[in-house]
Amino acid sequence: MAELRLPGRSVRRTVGLATGTLSGCLCAVAFAGAALGLAHADRGLAAAGPQSAAASTASTSDDALHRTPGRAARTVHRPLDRSTPIQFSIPSVGLTAPLLGLGMDSKGSPELPPFSQPRTAGWLRDSVTPGEAGTAVLVGHVDTRTGPAVMWNLSAVRPGAQVEVVRLDGTTAVFTVDRLKTYAKTGFPAALVYGPSPDAELRIITCGGGYDRARQEYTGNVVLFAHLSGVR
């Protein structure tokens, strides 16, 4: 079994461009790059204190939606207050999974879901929460030695599909998929994937590309890009 390696800097709770990527191998699952740097927008509103779900989300009314300048006709929902994600689903491919909050290990590297829970995905706690302004990151295994895992069907998701994230405050953040890309480990576009955003963005990452049998790892990553488009 290949060992997961996440060398490089710790996750940083800071505004600014990301400076690295997830790297290593989850048994047969790899993340590309040399380090992870997660950036997000200011949490001024969220830090002011919790609000009721009704007050913070209102619904997908006209005043809650706006067009993002410079992006092709993309209607986005205003960011939500911070709230821990507990489950996510992608109905178009029949994917539903609980979310485990992932922190840092003793070496200062991001944790990843345990092999003993192949159907559980993880949310990186040092990224924003899904629905909050900035870039939230979910990760998971595509397979293990025992068979397919939670992200097995991720590559089958198509632009326009919905991703639903159930949050602890009772709301469900609904994201619309913009695109899926497969990136090689070398030259992984960290700033593009992890960079800050004034809108609520979501990235879902698993392994992809070819498989190197000698090294027992995938050669790249599949990255799903999505934006907040509604709330229930």
Side-chain angles (χ1 to χ4, degrees):
M1 179 180 295
E3 181 182 358
L4 173 64
R5 300 179 306 280
L6 290 172
R9 301 176 183 175
S10 302
V11 176
R12 295 173 298 122
R13 303 173 73 93
T14 173
V15 178
L17 290 178
T19 58
T21 64
L22 288 165
S23 71
C25 175
L26 312 177
C27 184
V29 181
F31 288 105
L36 173 63
L38 296 176
H40 57 76
D42 181 42
R43 289 199 181 124
L45 292 177
Q51 300 179 11
S52 68
S56 63
T57 63
S59 76
T60 49
S61 59
D62 290 342
D63 63 350
L65 299 169
H66 66 279
R67 298 279 181 174
T68 303
R71 294 179 180 174
R74 193 177 83 153
T75 301
V76 301
H77 195 282
R78 289 180 181 172
L80 310 176
D81 287 336
R82 186 173 179 83
S83 180
T84 301
I86 56 178
Q87 178 182 284
F88 90 106
S89 62
I90 307 178
S92 65
V93 295
L95 190 165
T96 298
L99 286 168
L100 179 67
L102 302 172
M104 310 297 290
D105 64 20
S106 60
K107 296 180 180 179
S109 296
E111 296 174 336
L112 289 158
F115 292 111
S116 60
Q117 300 179 46
R119 296 292 180 177
T120 297
W123 160 63
L124 300 187
R125 291 195 301 262
D126 287 291
S127 70
V128 299
T129 61
E132 198 178 2
T135 303
V137 181
L138 306 183
V139 298
H141 302 276
V142 68
D143 59 12
T144 68
R145 286 185 174 180
T146 62
V150 61
M151 299 298 187
W152 182 254
N153 289 329
L154 188 66
S155 293
V157 179
R158 296 292 178 259
Q162 289 192 338
V163 179
E164 301 174 355
V165 181
V166 178
R167 302 169 6 125
L168 191 59
D169 64 2
T171 62
T172 297
V174 180
F175 295 84
T176 296
V177 175
D178 297 311
R179 62 193 183 280
L180 269 82
K181 298 287 289 184
T182 300
Y183 299 108
K185 285 184 180 182
T186 56
F188 189 91
L192 175 65
V193 174
Y194 301 119
S197 171
D199 300 322
E201 298 275 345
L202 179 68
R203 307 288 185 262
I204 303 177
I205 306 175
T206 191
C207 72
Y211 185 73
D212 186 331
R213 293 187 179 278
R215 298 176 62 89
Q216 297 188 25
E217 64 181 28
Y218 285 90
T219 60
N221 288 110
V222 174
V223 182
L224 180 151
F225 295 78
H227 67 276
L228 184 68
S229 56
V231 63
R232 296 198 298 268

